[in-house]
Amino acid sequence: MDKALWRSYLLVMDTRPHALSSLEWRNGAEKVGYLDAVALMEQRVAEIAEQRALELVWLLEHPPIYTAGTSAKPADLIKPRFPVFRTGRGGQFTYHGPGQRVAYVMLDLRRRHADVRGFVRDLEEWLIRTLARFGIRGERRDGRVGIWVARANGREDKIAAIGVRVRRWVTYHGVALNVAPDLSHYDGIVPCGILGHGVTSLADLGANVSMADVDSALRSEFDTVFHTTSL
């Protein structure tokens, strides 16, 4: 992706008063290639670490792909229907594609609590609160990364994935929330290496919401979760 395309993304600067400094939000209508996204994240992480750029939350969609985290097992790639990318984030195999809101979160933990586990728990809380705005009860599960929904038949399905990396105390990668993706695209992998459970989405659960609705909820709940701790 060239610089002109990057600048073409809608840039919204958060100018409301916070305990922390201003935060940038970016989103755009075009699907972003995975390697392009990683390159831009790594550039921004370096700039944040050197205090040359603001923290950033980047909301986007990818074309259909599978990504393999640092713990990915070859056996969990059942049928590679789409391109597969090895990545430095934590976790195992996951799917990204249209209808899924990916949020890449680049925060400087040195200016917050330097606590990676606490950061991951905040990401979980962010997703849980966002889902609650649409009448969906998202839950944590011990030993299973991500956010889960209990179904009426006793099954538990995953609705959001979490995978992060930290460099020089600056976070990147982030979360992926299923809004209305083609859930059959998950058939090519064992999502996050977890057998015996399925995947779901807001649309699958009967929540007829737009990506803009989800973005608005994510932004509002981000403030609630991430701006409650002082410097």
Side-chain angles (χ1 to χ4, degrees):
M1 181 189 299
D2 60 27
K3 292 182 179 179
L5 180 56
W6 169 249
R7 287 194 297 266
S8 73
Y9 286 125
L10 175 63
L11 169 62
V12 182
M13 182 75 71
D14 189 344
T15 57
R16 290 166 289 175
H18 295 306
L20 302 176
S21 62
S22 297
L23 181 83
E24 283 188 37
W25 288 80
R26 292 181 187 251
N27 62 18
E30 294 186 52
K31 308 281 186 301
V32 181
Y34 187 72
L35 295 181
D36 290 329
V38 171
L40 286 165
M41 278 193 289
E42 290 180 343
Q43 176 184 333
R44 186 57 173 252
V45 164
E47 292 170 350
I48 293 170
E50 295 163 6
Q51 300 184 26
R52 294 188 290 112
L54 298 176
E55 296 172 309
L56 174 66
V57 180
W58 187 14
L59 305 178
L60 59 97
E61 291 177 89
H62 287 304
I65 59 168
Y66 298 128
T67 66
T70 55
S71 302
K73 302 174 183 177
D76 288 342
L77 182 60
I78 300 169
K79 183 179 180 182
R81 300 174 57 186
F82 308 112
V84 179
F85 294 96
R86 298 282 168 178
T87 179
R89 63 157 174 81
Q92 302 189 41
F93 280 103
T94 194
Y95 165 78
H96 295 310
Q100 182 190 74
R101 177 50 88 214
V102 173
Y104 289 137
V105 181
M106 288 154 266
L107 300 183
D108 188 347
L109 297 186
R110 297 168 301 182
R111 295 161 50 196
R112 302 165 182 268
H113 294 297
D115 180 354
V116 177
R117 289 186 180 181
F119 169 67
V120 172
R121 190 159 186 87
D122 284 345
L123 291 176
E124 293 171 339
E125 184 66 19
W126 181 34
L127 290 164
I128 289 169
R129 287 174 175 267
T130 297
L131 289 166
R133 292 172 72 101
F134 304 111
I136 304 297
R137 182 180 175 86
E139 299 177 322
R140 300 176 176 90
R141 288 291 182 268
D142 290 339
R144 283 192 255 144
V145 178
I147 300 301
W148 298 81
V149 175
R151 310 299 292 267
N153 60 4
R155 189 179 73 187
E156 293 185 341
D157 290 343
K158 190 170 188 175
I159 194 169
I162 298 173
V164 301
R165 189 171 183 181
V166 179
R167 179 178 293 173
R168 297 171 65 184
W169 286 107
V170 180
T171 68
Y172 60 121
H173 296 278
V175 305
L177 174 61
N178 289 341
V179 180
D182 183 340
L183 295 177
S184 72
H185 288 181
Y186 281 91
D187 294 345
I189 58 171
V190 178
C192 300
I194 299 170
L195 292 167
H197 299 282
V199 290
T200 189
S201 66
L202 285 162
D204 184 49
L205 295 169
N208 183 22
V209 299
S210 68
M211 197 66 78
D213 294 331
V214 172
D215 289 351
S216 178
L218 283 168
R219 183 163 180 172
S220 178
E221 295 302 333
F222 188 93
D223 283 349
T224 302
V225 173
F226 288 92
H227 295 292
T228 54
T229 56
S230 59
L231 289 169

